[in-house]
Amino acid sequence: METQQSTADSILDKLTPRERQVAVHMAKGLLNKQIGEILGVSNRTVETHVLHIKLKIGKNITKTRASIVLSEELNKEAARIIESAAPPALRSAADLLAEPGV
């Protein structure tokens, strides 16, 4: 599991703040034109960000596959944030049993 965690962190950590904004909208399945309208940039600018994102994920990846990968990674990141904010009483019994000294 730790290897997957490191991979997820490295993909998202490679993105600039603007690329992360584009990535969030890509993960929602929006078209470049829609992303541009939301962010107030041209379609060409969005295309450039999408290209950079794809290159950072994998050289021969399609936009559709990149969107799926980004969606999965953003969901994992959200789950980690929620899990880290949850009070100990809400954590699962398996998590508690896995802790040293329990």
Side-chain angles (χ1 to χ4, degrees):
M1 180 79 174
E2 194 62 38
T3 304
Q4 288 177 339
Q5 186 82 20
S6 299
T7 303
D9 290 343
S10 66
I11 289 171
L12 297 176
D13 289 342
K14 289 179 184 179
L15 303 180
T16 66
R18 186 56 129 185
E19 288 169 350
R20 281 183 72 107
Q21 289 176 331
V22 172
V24 167
H25 295 298
M26 283 176 64
K28 294 177 189 176
L30 298 181
L31 301 173
N32 290 354
K33 181 180 179 182
Q34 294 170 310
I35 296 170
E37 290 171 358
I38 291 168
L39 299 178
V41 298
S42 72
N43 188 50
R44 180 69 184 126
T45 299
V46 175
E47 289 174 1
T48 300
H49 288 307
V50 169
L51 174 63
H52 292 164
I53 291 166
K54 287 170 48 180
L55 289 172
K56 290 176 181 181
I57 293 174
K59 291 184 180 181
N60 295 320
I61 195 166
T62 65
K63 181 182 177 195
T64 301
R65 181 65 188 136
S67 297
I68 292 167
V69 169
L70 291 167
S71 178
E72 291 170 353
E73 301 308 333
L74 290 166
N75 284 335
K76 289 177 191 174
E77 184 177 280
R80 284 192 305 274
I81 291 168
I82 292 168
E83 185 176 298
S84 68
L90 297 179
R91 293 172 33 205
S92 72
D95 289 341
L96 293 174
L97 292 174
E99 289 182 5
V102 175

